[in-house]
Amino acid sequence: HTKAAAILVSEPLEGLPIACLVTPNPYLMFAKALEFFYPPPRPRPGIHPTAVIDPTATIGANVTIGPHTTIGPRTQIADHVTIGPGCSIGPDCTIGANSLLHPRATLYSEVTLGQRNVIHSGAVLGADGFGFVFTNGAYEKFPQIGRVELGNDVEIGANACIDRAALGVTSIGDGTKLDNMVHIAHNCRIGRNVVIAAQTGISGGVIVEDYAVIGGQVGIG
């Protein structure tokens, strides 16, 4: 009874009055079909006049920078990057080619994004790790002077937070996907092609190896 012109199947089905497109992975091919029929909008390259860009920053070719975005000193933006309205990019950051920052994403200083990264609205990369020393009845801040590094093809969900390392690097491997409201604490090392669902919190110094799958609301100490 379907009104579809064709269906995607993993093996041929006999006796159907419509075309069967046989593929080992119908779900993947359906995603590719959706991309074909509904391509994401591509904004026209250019820098909005309300954007504030430090003169020492480097901006590549065919870059789009939306209104009220700020870009700090010595930051490098590669070719074909899209930065939405209201983003804040701190000093000494690097954003790889073909990356997309949705509105109001925030990168503190010394955050490195690989190529084809997607950072959703409200995500914060490079905020201080939660490091304090208890002395004389009070907490004293332990300086968080490390950095954050993301590989290629990483996607960070809305309102997620990846803290900078206290010393060294907090790193996210190639192909890893973080859902909304995920918190990665300082000095974590997340491997390649890891998926982490919403409201998961990972404590400082945790190592998650390649291809791990972590469900929603998981807490890791």
Side-chain angles (χ1 to χ4, degrees):
H1 300 290
T2 180
K3 295 180 174 61
I7 58 173
L8 293 156
V9 293
S10 58
E11 56 186 37
L13 298 176
E14 301 297 332
L16 293 180
I18 57 175
C20 293
L21 307 179
V22 181
T23 170
N25 192 335
Y27 193 50
L28 173 63
M29 288 302 103
F30 186 57
K32 296 295 184 184
L34 289 176
E35 289 179 353
F36 178 80
F37 287 111
Y38 300 94
R42 293 190 172 273
R44 183 176 299 174
I47 299 173
H48 195 274
T50 61
V52 178
I53 301 174
D54 189 273
T56 63
T58 303
I59 308 298
N62 298 311
V63 169
T64 302
I65 299 176
H68 305 293
T69 283
T70 60
I71 296 177
R74 300 171 300 280
T75 283
Q76 300 179 42
I77 311 295
D79 298 344
H80 308 290
V81 168
T82 298
I83 301 175
C87 290
S88 176
I89 315 297
D92 300 301
C93 291
T94 301
I95 299 178
N98 296 291
S99 291
L100 168 62
L101 276 65
H102 285 280
R104 297 179 302 283
T106 298
L107 273 58
Y108 282 50
S109 63
E110 298 184 90
V111 173
T112 297
L113 306 184
Q115 298 183 34
R116 299 175 300 279
N117 278 204
V118 177
I119 311 298
H120 285 277
S121 294
V124 177
L125 280 62
D128 282 356
F130 196 61
F132 297 90
V133 178
F134 190 72
T135 178
N136 297 323
Y139 287 98
E140 185 172 331
K141 189 175 182 68
F142 186 95
Q144 306 292 295
I145 61 171
R147 60 191 191 278
V148 171
E149 292 182 358
L150 276 59
N152 299 323
D153 302 298
V154 173
E155 184 156 347
I156 305 299
N159 295 318
C161 187
I162 303 173
D163 290 347
R164 71 175 56 254
L167 303 169
V169 182
T170 301
S171 64
I172 309 291
D174 293 347
T176 287
K177 318 297 183 186
L178 271 58
D179 197 1
N180 302 333
M181 295 182 289
V182 168
H183 180 203
I184 307 296
H186 54 187
N187 292 94
C188 286
R189 188 169 81 239
I190 311 299
R192 296 179 298 112
N193 296 299
V194 173
V195 289
I196 303 177
Q199 297 182 337
T200 287
I202 298 182
S203 181
V206 167
I207 297 171
V208 178
E209 296 193 350
D210 300 345
Y211 295 98
V213 177
I214 300 175
Q217 294 189 329
V218 169
I220 300 176

